[in-house]
Amino acid sequence: MNVWLASRLVAVAAATTLVLTGCTGSGGSTDASASPSGGPGVTSPSPDVSTSDATTAPPTGASPTASASAPGRGESVPGFRGLLPMWPFATLAQVEDWEGEFRSGGHQPWHLDAEQTALSFTRHYLGFEGLDRVTSRSVDGRQARIGVGLSGTESTGTAAVVHLVRFGAGPDAPWEVVGTDDTTFSLTTPAYGATVSSPLKVGGRITGVDESVRVEVRQPSATAPLGTSCCTSAGGKGEPWRSSVSFAGGGGAVLTVVASTGGHLAEVERFTVTAVRTR
């Protein structure tokens, strides 16, 4: 009797082993909790920002992933010769860090929206809080041009057209600001991508009446401008304007030089930016 019982127990154990092997072998990839290669079910946010409402932009004080990282050393955006990463990422390594966080937990999906990135650059990095509306949108493959401006009764049209490109490869490559497309207000000195030091001579051309040009030097890893110059009187039709700004810091990183003007209907009505390197 004991021999019979022992043999029955061995048979049951063998059968159980076969069942478990069939459930957990090569068929393990059918587990419903497994994430697809593109990430944990998080998709690119819809471009909710309209020409009259920018409430979906990151809230004031929201820090992009790159802000807490070390400054970049002036590398160009891969695939775009001569275009420098101005904001929010300074290096490809920072992009890859964010991509890993996004794929694992959907971290800061607004990086995948060109409109939200342009508005956040304008309002939270440059500090032009009043420019809270998307006025135009053009996306062509891995490049985008987003117009931003004032909303409400004080609207003066487009304050600037922000130029963005995809930083990195793949469907989740984030948008990166690389400059502005200028028309009636430009910043041509220093040249885009130039290596500069302090004090910095700045200038360009402007069309307008009784303009007051303010210049700042900014870096993504710093919350305050590295230097400020205010203000230079300018005006006319395509007339040159010139100024100079002293700044401290930079450490070889890509810096943003931004010139703004306003004072007629709002503090900032137009702006233009360029990217420079520091020694």
Side-chain angles (χ1 to χ4, degrees), residues 53-257:
D53 185 6
T55 57
T56 57
T60 301
S63 299
T65 304
S67 295
S69 304
R73 304 300 297 180
E75 63 185 57
S76 298
V77 178
F80 297 94
R81 178 178 294 180
L83 293 184
L84 298 180
M86 299 176 71
W87 191 89
F89 299 97
T91 65
L92 184 59
Q94 290 179 351
V95 169
E96 292 170 345
D97 286 344
W98 170 78
E99 286 177 326
E101 294 177 346
F102 172 72
R103 291 166 186 167
S104 64
H107 182 63
Q108 295 183 334
W110 60 269
H111 287 301
L112 297 178
D113 189 300
E115 293 184 13
Q116 291 195 35
T117 302
L119 280 174
S120 189
F121 168 76
T122 302
R123 303 183 66 212
H124 306 145
Y125 177 46
L126 300 184
F128 303 153
E129 288 288 342
L131 302 178
D132 58 357
R133 183 173 71 106
V134 170
T135 58
S136 64
R137 179 181 187 273
S138 174
V139 179
D140 183 10
R142 299 178 64 81
Q143 298 195 61
R145 287 170 167 83
I146 307 297
V148 295
L150 297 162
S151 61
T153 57
E154 292 185 340
S155 176
T156 56
T158 298
V161 176
V162 181
H163 183 191
L164 308 95
V165 299
R166 291 276 195 176
F167 199 166
D172 57 0
W175 287 105
E176 177 80 10
V177 175
V178 293
T180 53
D181 289 353
D182 304 323
T183 53
T184 61
F185 184 32
S186 65
L187 177 56
T188 55
T189 302
Y192 186 95
T195 300
V196 303
S197 59
S198 180
L200 176 63
K201 293 182 179 180
V202 294
R205 291 188 176 275
I206 192 169
T207 295
V209 179
D210 295 330
E211 303 297 330
S212 181
V213 180
R214 178 186 182 94
V215 179
E216 292 182 344
V217 179
R218 288 187 170 270
Q219 180 180 353
S221 59
T223 57
L226 303 183
T228 301
S229 175
C230 188
C231 291
T232 301
S233 298
K237 185 174 182 179
E239 290 297 317
W241 66 270
R242 299 179 183 87
S243 184
S244 176
V245 57
S246 297
F247 65 93
V254 173
L255 304 182
T256 299
V257 183

